[in-house]
Amino acid sequence: LPDADDEDDIENIEDPDDSIHIFTGHTGELYAVACSPTDPVLVATGGGDDKGFLWKIGHADWASELQGHTDSVSTLAFSSDGQLLASGCFDGLVKVWDTFGNFKRTLEGPGGGIEWIRWHPKGHLILAGSGDCTAWMWNVDNGNCLNVFSGHDAIVTCGDFTPDGKTICTGSEDATLRIWNPRSGESIHVVRGLTCLSISSDSTLAITGSKDGSVHIVNITTGKVVSSCSSQTGSTDGNPESIECVLFAPNFPWAVFGGMDQNLTIWDLQNSSPRFICNHEEGVTCLAWFGASKFLATGCCDGRICIWNCLSGECIETFKGHEHAIQSLAVSSNLEFLVSVSMDST
């Protein structure tokens, strides 16, 4: 029988840490990570310590603090040309930086915290969703507000430009998806029920997930729901488990979604049926594709990251190292690095 000292040793054995680089500049839980689309080692992170940082994978001596935020940094996004970084804050401000961390300008207007930021696919326009039930669009080069999108009845929790840049989709805690004309600011269609959304690469479809565990595929042009499905298991108290993350596959006719039912579902869009249901030990919080490949990363409530081959439905790798839930994942432009941020401040 092991003696008491041996039992202490057994308890103190920690999970292995599979990471190749740890950034330790933050002192609070992290909410956001973004990888540069042009520099494969440049990463931006932000969190509850009111700080944002730019840093480089494998360059422990290089970091630039994004100074001046007065509240949690909730979201980060690089422009599509890789020249600029935008950071959104719970104080309702969006700040714009160059890739050395030099401050460029502040974009003002929203009366609530910034929930998310997206850049126009072809230019220096920013779209942001706010806690005051609105979304805002600015010209970053001169700081002018171009439009305010009003119509939601609760926090605007997700949104994006379509890849062709011609339409805007937003989702809210009021459980609606709204499809907007960016020029006029008018709401073209309203679709009920969601928490997260993704837009297909051809700008024709949106996929939405919701708190009630349902997923809807919506035709952006008509506003009609094309197909629907729901999370595979109910929770112990009989309530369905919420869908936390949805994505279209860049190069395959699939959508993927994950949630608190501990499953990743790989959905066949052509047959409107699941290809695979991939079980996790805890809830799935976030997703990231490795470019246009068949490989997908899932971040989980237990701090683990799983890599899936979506052609076979197999988990080919599990990464450990975080001590708490994964909040966000990003993949570097050369597909060599996966960056994760967590409630554990790393």
Side-chain angles (χ1 to χ4, degrees):
L1 286 171
D3 61 25
D5 288 346
D6 291 339
E7 287 180 10
D8 288 344
D9 289 342
I10 291 167
E11 278 185 13
N12 290 332
I13 294 172
E14 294 183 358
D15 267 346
D17 187 342
D18 299 316
S19 62
I20 60 161
H21 185 118
I22 302 175
F23 179 71
T24 55
H26 287 280
T27 57
E29 56 189 49
L30 275 86
Y31 301 139
V33 59
C35 286
S36 163
T38 53
D39 181 343
V41 297
L42 186 62
V43 180
T45 50
D49 55 5
D50 303 355
K51 289 180 179 177
F53 285 96
L54 277 166
W55 50 275
K56 292 185 176 181
I57 300 166
H59 297 258
D61 56 343
W62 194 94
S64 180
E65 185 177 344
L66 309 175
Q67 295 184 330
H69 285 293
T70 60
D71 207 334
S72 297
V73 178
S74 53
T75 180
L76 295 154
F78 284 94
S79 59
S80 50
D81 61 10
Q83 292 179 2
L84 297 171
L85 171 72
S87 56
C89 186
F90 283 156
D91 62 8
L93 300 176
V94 174
K95 292 182 183 291
V96 182
W97 318 80
D98 69 16
T99 51
F100 299 100
N102 297 312
F103 174 72
K104 304 294 280 186
R105 63 169 27 96
T106 298
L107 306 173
E108 301 180 60
I114 304 298
E115 295 285 317
W116 51 269
I117 293 169
R118 295 290 184 272
W119 290 81
H120 191 278
K122 299 182 177 72
H124 285 178
L125 302 182
I126 278 180
L127 180 69
S130 167
D132 69 356
C133 313
T134 61
W136 291 63
M137 185 171 68
W138 296 270
N139 178 329
V140 175
D141 293 330
N142 60 22
N144 291 342
C145 174
L146 300 177
N147 239 324
V148 180
F149 303 93
S150 301
H152 284 296
D153 297 323
I155 294 171
V156 184
T157 51
C158 49
D160 207 345
F161 294 98
T162 52
D164 61 13
K166 294 177 180 176
T167 309
I168 285 170
C169 298
T170 59
S172 165
E173 283 189 356
D174 66 8
T176 64
L177 163 72
R178 285 180 178 265
I179 301 165
W180 309 85
N181 178 325
R183 293 183 183 278
S184 68
E186 291 176 313
S187 181
I188 309 165
H189 301 294
V190 182
V191 184
R192 310 266 163 212
L194 82 158
T195 53
C196 45
L197 73 89
S198 173
I199 299 169
S200 62
S201 57
D202 63 2
S203 304
T204 62
L205 297 174
I207 180 171
T208 67
S210 72
K211 281 185 178 172
D212 67 6
S214 63
V215 174
H216 300 294
I217 314 281
V218 178
N219 180 312
I220 290 173
T221 307
T222 65
K224 295 282 189 288
V225 174
V226 181
S227 63
S228 298
C229 47
S230 60
S231 72
Q232 300 302 309
T233 56
S235 65
T236 49
D237 59 8
N239 294 321
E241 303 283 12
S242 72
I243 301 295
E244 296 293 314
C245 41
V246 293
L247 278 180
F248 282 104
N251 219 20
F252 297 93
W254 312 330
V256 292
F257 51 90
M260 290 301 119
D261 65 352
Q262 304 179 5
N263 288 324
L264 163 73
T265 301
I266 304 165
W267 186 262
D268 186 320
L269 292 168
Q270 292 167 328
N271 297 315
S272 293
S273 63
R275 281 174 55 83
F276 300 107
I277 295 168
C278 308
N279 190 248
H280 294 66
E281 291 187 16
E282 296 280 348
V284 180
T285 56
C286 48
L287 305 168
W289 283 106
F290 287 89
S293 75
K294 61 188 175 184
F295 298 109
L296 177 79
T298 56
C300 304
C301 288
D302 59 5
R304 295 185 189 192
I305 295 146
C306 301
I307 311 297
W308 300 87
N309 177 338
C310 292
L311 268 178
S312 65
E314 293 175 287
C315 178
I316 58 167
E317 190 77 69
T318 300
F319 294 126
K320 300 173 186 175
H322 283 295
E323 295 173 6
H324 294 296
I326 308 297
Q327 296 272 61
S328 186
L329 294 167
V331 176
S332 65
S333 59
N334 63 359
L335 311 185
E336 285 187 20
F337 305 112
L338 173 69
V339 189
S340 56
V341 299
S342 162
M343 304 280 279
D344 67 6
S345 304
T346 65

